[in-house]
Amino acid sequence: MTPGALYLVPTPLDFGVAEATDPLEALLPGETLAVAGRLTHWIAENAKSARAFLKRVDAAVGLAAPLQEQHILELPRQTHKRGDHTQDDRAARDWLAPALQGHGIGLLSEAGMPAIADPGSGVVRAAHALGLRVCPLVGPVSLMLALAGSGLNGQHFAFVGYVAQDPPTRAKRLRELDALATRSGQAQILIETPYRNAALLRALIDSLQPGTRLAVACGLALHTQAIRSARVADWRREPALAADLPLDLPAVFLFGP
């Protein structure tokens, strides 16, 4: 029996956004949708959002099996909070058992590409350990879209993830990253949960050097997307830069020389 493959299936960046009524074929390539429609086994960050995604796939290209017959395994909660990039992958090998029986398996995050700023890397490592093909499918990756639209260094960059919520600790960390960016030329990329976006933007404006370039990309790939990129001195001098940013949407924050 030929083993199945692990497919990394990207999902639209409109998860949890009222604008999520856009047809899926306007947001994802046809081949990505075709593969998703053929799969019946899934490993997902969140089973509820996985089912919502599959309903949209069904409307776009149809499903190989009805939604109630799709096999969806939800990743353990601890991988959401701590990530799985350093965890033992033995449990994930068990989750991939259907692939050894010939089934393709899709890996899903709630939005964007699984295993990038989201859980899934442990599943990918387990697939490699089992000798399975790993096939990333084409779709949106918010970090790369934001970097491309920022004007920052696309040849040398680092994804920092989340920074502390405690204001003094956060400000100290941002100043450290700013100094690193100045020394190395490396662009720094951060994310935050949407309801804390405004606080992080304020902290960035207050903590970074005036000459540092700060970019914010909100609602990427949506009709309401907005990207602003300017020197920190300009962010301080011109409040209008931030005034109409849709900071209630998922956002990516970037800064560097």
Side-chain angles (χ1 to χ4, degrees):
M1 178 182 296
T2 302
L6 176 67
Y7 295 93
L8 278 58
V9 182
T11 52
L13 300 176
D14 60 4
F15 171 74
V17 178
E19 208 175 316
T21 54
D22 286 351
L24 208 53
E25 54 267 42
L27 302 172
L28 294 175
E31 180 59 22
T32 294
L33 289 173
V35 172
R38 293 197 297 266
L39 299 175
T40 57
H41 290 72
W42 300 89
I43 298 172
E45 180 181 1
N46 181 284
K48 181 179 179 180
S49 58
R51 285 190 287 271
F53 171 69
L54 289 174
K55 286 181 181 178
R56 297 173 75 182
V57 173
D58 194 23
V61 298
L63 293 173
L67 186 59
Q68 60 270 26
E69 295 178 18
Q70 297 280 332
H71 302 270
I72 302 174
L73 185 152
E74 188 173 75
L75 289 169
R77 180 58 55 182
Q78 62 266 27
T79 67
H80 298 204
K81 294 182 178 180
R82 301 176 186 173
D84 55 351
H85 52 283
T86 61
Q87 291 181 4
D88 193 311
D89 61 17
R90 282 176 291 186
R93 297 189 194 196
D94 293 336
W95 307 336
L96 293 167
L100 300 177
Q101 300 164 6
H103 297 283
I105 298 180
L107 178 63
L108 286 176
S109 69
E110 289 193 317
M113 180 66 75
I116 297 182
D118 270 320
S121 58
V123 179
V124 174
R125 288 196 304 276
H128 285 298
L130 292 170
L132 301 175
R133 286 189 301 124
V134 174
C135 304
L137 301 179
V138 177
V141 182
S142 62
L143 304 182
M144 297 300 97
L145 294 173
L147 180 59
S150 71
L152 288 160
N153 189 348
Q155 306 297 322
H156 187 30
F157 53 89
F159 174 55
V160 180
Y162 296 88
V163 292
Q165 298 170 35
D166 172 64
T169 306
R170 179 176 56 203
K172 179 176 182 290
R173 178 61 172 154
L174 292 177
R175 287 193 293 268
E176 291 171 348
L177 292 170
D178 195 14
L180 170 62
T182 299
R183 289 195 310 270
S184 66
Q186 182 184 70
Q188 307 295 308
I189 307 175
L190 293 77
I191 56 173
E192 187 50 278
T193 53
Y195 71 91
R196 296 194 188 108
N197 280 342
L200 177 57
L201 177 56
R202 185 71 258 166
L204 286 161
I205 293 171
D206 291 343
S207 302
L208 301 180
Q209 301 173 82
T212 294
R213 176 167 291 275
L214 169 63
V216 185
C218 304
L220 288 164
L222 305 183
H223 296 313
T224 50
Q225 82 167 17
I227 304 175
R228 300 280 189 279
S229 180
R231 306 283 182 186
V232 169
D234 296 325
W235 284 95
R236 293 173 181 168
R237 186 170 52 248
E238 301 173 25
L241 280 170
D244 61 346
L245 277 174
L247 290 171
D248 56 326
L249 298 177
V252 180
F253 301 83
L254 313 92
F255 62 88

